[in-house]
Amino acid sequence: LMHLTRKLIEVRSMLLSIDQSDALKLPSIVVIGSQSSGKSSVLEAIVGHEFLPKGSNMVTRRPIELTLIHTPDTQEEYGEFPALGLGRITDFSNIQRTLTDLNLAVPASDAVSNEPIDLRIYSPRVPDLTLIDLPGYIQIASMDQPESLKEKIAGLCEKYIREPNIVLAVCAADVDLANSPALRASRKVDPLGLRTIGVITKMDLVPPEQGATILSGNRYPLHLGYVGVVCKPSGKKARNESTALLARNGESDYFGSHREHFGGGSNLMVGTDTLRSRLMEVLESSMASSLHGITNAVQLELEEAQYQFKVQYNDRRISAESYVAETMDALKARFKEFTVQFRKPQIRAKLKAMLDDKVLNVLEQLYWSDKRAVELSALAADPKVKPENVEAYWKYKLDAASSLLTKSGVGRDSTLLVADGLRTLIDSIASGEPFNFHPRAAERLIQFSHMILRERIGITSDQVENCIKPYKYEADVDSREWEAGRTQAIELFERETEMCESKLKEISKRVGGSRRLSGLMGYVKTLEEKEKERKQKRLNGIEEEHAENAASVSEDEYRYPPAQVLDGRHAILCSDRLSILKLRLAALKSKRCKAGPENDVLCPEIFLNAVADKLAYTSAMFINIELLDHFFYQFPREIDSRLLYDLDRREIVEFARENPTVRRHLDLQERKDKLEEASSITCRCVKSLIKHYTSPTAR
Ligand code: GDP
């Protein structure tokens, strides 16, 4: 009948993959039977291969959804587990092993699982059928079986033997049908026996007349009847013969030798071949009667899916591939946008800020902590002083300061500063949308960008250090650079002044006003002097003799809480710093410092600033060549080679589905597509069914 079963089996698996709801279910044959009733033997006889798990304790623990696909144009026979992605399995003992593993994966404490195993078998020798093998009915609860196991299995069976499924009740001929749990279960859901087929196994174990009586079905009538089989291999197995073939021979031998009971005139159904064709007939007519309902149900679901797709996505289709490509393009674009922050002027400004800090450190070390610093300001203010006549002391100072600055590891520090900036940028991209949905890709992104950086950092910092080398020996400052250095030094000092002032204000507020602060500062100063005295005495070997004296000091220490004493110390530092800054700002703004680079000894800040500027300029240039250019060139290429081209089809889909928005979109789109296909198949089936029944030959 125009491959109805085959088409609808296709529709069935399509619908199962998008929906587990009963409304969309097409009938399947559910095999039930107690343990050792010969259930596995029957299934294997239908398939023609041994493939089910064996062993005394090896009951089926999960339902097996077995789809048989008849492939007339090929000799090849193979199985597939679509959920496992193992590909074609041509060796049936491999299928057996896989099923055993899947069964054993169910924890013994659970005993059975509701989750079905999807197995498809393609062969020219199988009919188009779907069979569901359920865990066998267990009669005797053994010690290690949980109490509830029997109930659990019964519950599972009941779920599967509901309409419109066909029940294949397997009973052994040598067990009274009245005791058959399979028939009992089927009667519960199908009391009239309208959709139950009985299979009587082990016909060879009872006398033929008794077997024939059972098959006639007079005692427990079933609308679809009983089929008797013998599935036990008889005789010795020859080298090249399959067990299935032997079983088949055994069966035909048995029924052949009892023709008087089972022959043509008896009207009884016997043999595996009869069982197969009976199953095909029954499934087909059941499919045909379900067709109308399923066609309507699919149509309704399809209309809903189409409506949702229109409303939610305006019919816009996406694919996992396009999502991945767009994501990578967006990543590159985003990165490019950010690289604006890494143009030369920006880098130069960043490096200059770092060098400003270094300049301040050098000044602090060499000038501000020097008691003679005041003298230097006085010299700068005196118009009679000629730079060339200034004491050698100040010349040495300037040389020391310049070398401290140029040898402070500018190459490494500036390279790391820029590399850190890049790292922060990448980290922020990796943690933002959409990479927050793709943790593994984000991890890789971070990994390879850090790797590019690691590779370049050493080279770059050496190169920068090399290029600033000349300044370590000699730094010439022309008058334009001098003036620029002066302006910058003034700015720097003004900023520093502001910072100190606000810090002082903050401390003053914290300790309770400026009067209290000056009291505190006075106190801390005496404390420090005393401390110095004590140190000096200890240095001179004079032991502290007056214990009370020491006690009075430590008592004194508690006049202010320790936190305030600390504030006091900071305040003293700030105000010292402020007075020196004030002094030096005046010098920087004086005629002397304005005059030009010949006054470098008297205005060291300007000189150091001008040198820092040169260092920043040179560093920025080489960092640009050695680090940034390389990084900007390599990064997009690494995205392609490590994030994009690395992915196979499955990984692309996985990646896309990590994003919940995309997943929902893909799900609905897939649902709509499958329903469209299912709908067109079912509609075609309905048409040809109508044609079939209305054609003159059918009548
Ligand atoms: P299951 O537990 O219901 O799957 O039953 P099996 O198919 O494993 O069969 C149980 C036992 O009965 C096995 O030892 C089979 O060899 C044997 N058996 C199955 N079918 C027949 C048959 O038709 N005749 C005889 N004599 N033994 C059979």
Side-chain angles (χ1 to χ4, degrees):
L1 202 107
M2 79 260 134
H3 304 301
L4 180 70
T5 309
R6 188 193 181 82
K7 289 265 177 270
L8 291 185
I9 283 175
E10 209 179 304
V11 171
R12 181 177 180 275
S13 36
M14 226 180 268
L15 297 180
L16 273 180
S17 70
I18 53 167
D19 206 328
Q20 298 290 326
S21 83
D22 280 348
L24 290 182
K25 261 192 188 148
L26 277 163
S28 176
I29 298 167
V30 180
V31 188
I32 58 173
S34 56
Q35 232 186 328
S36 294
S37 59
K39 194 158 64 92
S40 316
S41 307
V42 171
L43 283 171
E44 287 177 347
I46 292 172
V47 172
H49 283 281
E50 202 176 309
F51 69 98
L52 287 168
K54 296 282 150 59
S56 56
N57 201 21
M58 197 52 246
V59 283
T60 306
R61 293 184 187 174
R62 285 170 65 178
I64 303 174
E65 296 222 14
L66 180 62
T67 305
L68 305 183
I69 297 127
H70 179 60
T71 49
D73 302 329
T74 164
Q75 274 309 301
E76 219 189 346
E77 293 182 282
Y78 61 90
E80 254 179 22
F81 292 94
L84 303 186
L86 299 172
R88 295 179 173 195
I89 308 175
T90 45
D91 182 355
F92 280 74
S93 63
N94 255 342
I95 298 180
Q96 191 172 35
R97 208 166 316 127
T98 308
L99 283 174
T100 307
D101 292 345
L102 289 171
N103 265 318
L104 289 177
V106 178
S109 55
D110 290 0
V112 289
S113 154
N114 281 329
E115 206 190 320
I117 299 169
D118 189 3
L119 168 61
R120 304 194 181 165
I121 290 177
Y122 299 80
S123 161
R125 282 179 280 283
V126 297
D128 286 312
L129 281 181
T130 56
L131 296 155
I132 298 165
D133 183 21
L134 290 179
Y137 274 35
I138 292 167
Q139 302 293 302
I140 310 140
S142 68
M143 290 294 283
D144 56 347
Q145 276 166 358
E147 284 293 309
S148 55
L149 180 58
K150 252 169 94 169
E151 268 171 45
K152 211 167 160 185
I153 295 173
L156 184 63
C157 291
E158 254 160 59
K159 178 179 155 217
Y160 274 98
I161 59 185
R162 278 183 211 146
E163 270 188 292
N165 284 345
I166 297 149
V167 181
L168 189 73
V170 179
C171 322
D174 58 343
V175 175
D176 188 355
L177 284 198
N179 293 331
S180 160
L183 281 181
R184 214 180 302 139
S186 102
R187 256 200 304 277
K188 256 198 222 160
V189 291
D190 177 31
L192 298 179
L194 294 178
R195 52 187 183 91
T196 304
I197 305 183
V199 174
I200 308 298
T201 58
K202 311 189 187 180
M203 289 292 287
D204 56 321
L205 295 187
V206 293
E209 52 277 14
Q210 188 185 333
T213 314
I214 300 174
L215 294 187
S216 68
N218 292 331
R219 253 182 95 195
Y220 302 102
L222 288 179
H223 185 70
L224 301 175
Y226 289 90
V227 184
V229 294
V230 176
C231 297
K232 194 189 147 124
S234 72
K236 271 227 164 86
K237 189 177 167 177
R239 235 186 309 147
N240 285 326
E241 263 173 328
S242 74
T243 333
L245 188 68
L246 276 174
R248 211 182 162 109
N249 291 341
E251 184 177 58
S252 52
D253 285 353
Y254 178 79
F255 290 119
S257 58
H258 297 290
R259 254 181 245 282
E260 69 280 15
H261 296 287
F262 306 111
S266 70
N267 259 339
L268 297 178
M269 292 186 282
V270 292
T272 309
D273 288 338
T274 312
L275 175 62
R276 271 196 223 182
S277 44
R278 184 78 188 124
L279 289 179
M280 285 166 72
E281 268 167 43
V282 169
L283 188 61
E284 187 170 80
S285 68
S286 170
M287 288 268 187
S289 55
S290 298
L291 183 59
H292 187 68
I294 200 77
T295 310
N296 283 340
V298 167
Q299 198 53 39
L300 281 178
E301 290 287 328
L302 172 61
E303 274 159 23
E304 174 64 19
Q306 280 169 334
Y307 172 75
Q308 289 298 340
F309 196 64
K310 170 93 194 155
V311 171
Q312 290 182 39
Y313 303 110
N314 198 20
D315 282 336
R316 189 172 61 87
R317 296 189 66 85
I318 55 165
S319 70
E321 282 82 357
S322 67
Y323 172 74
V324 172
E326 276 162 27
T327 306
M328 298 307 161
D329 284 348
L331 170 62
K332 287 181 202 167
R334 182 114 190 274
F335 177 70
K336 207 163 177 190
E337 229 170 78
F338 274 117
T339 54
V340 178
Q341 300 167 10
F342 290 88
R343 297 248 173 84
K344 251 188 267 174
Q346 280 78 6
I347 295 294
R348 219 175 304 154
K350 263 191 200 131
L351 295 183
K352 185 61 192 343
M354 181 196 83
L355 283 157
D356 280 349
D357 276 345
K358 284 186 187 272
V359 167
L360 284 177
N361 276 339
V362 169
L363 288 173
E364 161 123 44
Q365 260 183 62
L366 287 180
Y367 287 92
W368 300 345
S369 55
D370 187 340
K371 283 208 191 82
R372 292 182 63 185
V374 192
E375 280 174 45
L376 188 66
S377 289
L379 284 173
D382 187 347
K384 280 179 298 216
V385 173
K386 296 239 162 20
E388 58 272 23
N389 296 337
V390 174
E391 226 182 309
Y393 178 81
W394 295 112
K395 282 184 183 140
Y396 290 137
K397 255 262 133 124
L398 184 64
D399 282 347
S402 166
S403 121
L404 206 57
L405 177 64
T406 51
K407 291 177 185 163
S408 61
V410 175
R412 192 199 55 227
D413 291 353
S414 56
T415 307
L416 287 181
L417 184 73
V418 178
D420 275 347
L422 284 173
R423 252 186 230 137
T424 313
L425 161 65
I426 299 295
D427 291 355
S428 84
I429 290 180
S431 58
E433 267 209 47
F435 279 90
N436 51 339
F437 299 124
H438 310 298
R440 276 170 311 158
E443 174 76 34
R444 272 212 250 178
L445 175 68
I446 290 174
Q447 243 170 26
F448 74 67
S449 40
H450 286 196
M451 198 195 63
I452 308 175
L453 286 175
R454 260 201 308 278
E455 272 169 8
R456 299 302 309 176
I457 282 174
I459 303 168
T460 309
S461 76
D462 285 354
Q463 186 71 286
V464 173
E465 203 61 52
N466 239 342
C467 296
I468 61 166
K469 210 170 183 176
Y471 301 128
K472 293 181 187 173
Y473 300 97
E474 194 175 3
D476 276 331
V477 175
D478 65 25
S479 48
R480 194 189 50 81
E481 291 165 343
W482 179 266
E483 188 45 33
R486 198 177 73 90
T487 322
Q488 286 174 14
I490 290 174
E491 270 170 31
L492 181 62
F493 277 25
E494 276 168 352
R495 267 206 310 277
E496 192 69 10
T497 305
E498 252 169 54
M499 240 161 61
C500 284
E501 275 167 352
S502 72
K503 176 96 186 165
L504 263 183
K505 235 183 244 162
E506 186 193 310
I507 295 177
S508 155
K509 206 170 147 194
R510 195 158 52 221
V511 299
S514 57
R515 186 166 298 177
R516 210 172 136 73
L517 178 60
S518 58
L520 173 65
M521 282 162 72
Y523 165 73
V524 172
K525 261 184 202 149
T526 44
L527 216 64
E528 276 171 358
E529 263 153 38
K530 273 184 196 163
E531 178 66 20
K532 218 187 271 171
E533 249 171 63
R534 248 186 296 172
K535 245 187 218 156
Q536 196 57 43
K537 273 186 194 159
R538 224 172 294 144
L539 229 56
N540 296 343
I542 302 168
E543 284 303 311
E544 197 84 48
E545 275 161 23
H546 306 289
E548 332 81 280
N549 195 1
S552 81
V553 172
S554 58
E555 212 171 73
D556 240 15
E557 300 244 19
Y558 293 105
R559 242 178 59 193
Y560 290 93
Q564 285 204 355
V565 172
L566 199 67
D567 273 342
R569 283 187 213 280
H570 283 154
I572 291 170
L573 286 178
C574 278
S575 70
D576 286 357
R577 167 77 50 100
L578 271 177
S579 52
I580 200 138
L581 284 171
K582 214 164 153 195
L583 213 57
R584 292 310 300 166
L585 264 171
L588 290 175
K589 290 174 182 171
S590 70
K591 246 190 211 135
R592 163 81 62 190
C593 286
K594 266 186 202 156
E598 65 277 10
N599 293 302
D600 51 4
V601 175
L602 295 169
C603 318
E605 299 86 354
I606 299 178
F607 178 76
L608 290 176
N609 234 296
V611 173
D613 224 25
K614 284 169 187 283
L615 293 175
Y617 184 87
T618 311
S619 306
M621 190 156 69
F622 285 93
I623 285 175
N624 196 50
I625 298 168
E626 297 292 341
L627 184 70
L628 293 171
D629 277 358
H630 276 267
F631 192 81
F632 294 158
Y633 175 83
Q634 229 174 320
F635 186 75
R637 278 159 187 80
E638 295 284 329
I639 291 177
D640 287 344
S641 71
R642 285 178 202 256
L643 289 185
L644 201 54
Y645 301 149
D646 240 20
L647 301 177
D648 60 27
R649 165 75 197 156
R650 191 179 54 81
E651 287 167 324
I652 286 174
V653 173
E654 235 169 58
F655 179 91
R657 294 182 62 84
E658 280 172 354
N659 185 334
T661 317
V662 176
R663 185 173 61 233
R664 277 192 296 274
H665 194 157
L666 283 173
D667 279 347
L668 184 57
Q669 180 176 304
E670 196 194 342
R671 186 181 164 80
K672 185 180 78 91
D673 289 352
K674 284 192 172 161
L675 284 167
E676 264 163 14
E677 208 182 333
S679 161
S680 95
I681 298 176
T682 51
C683 288
R684 251 180 305 170
C685 288
V686 170
K687 264 185 213 150
S688 59
L689 201 63
I690 291 171
K691 209 163 136 199
H692 178 80
Y693 284 120
T694 52
S695 78
T697 46
R699 285 184 217 151

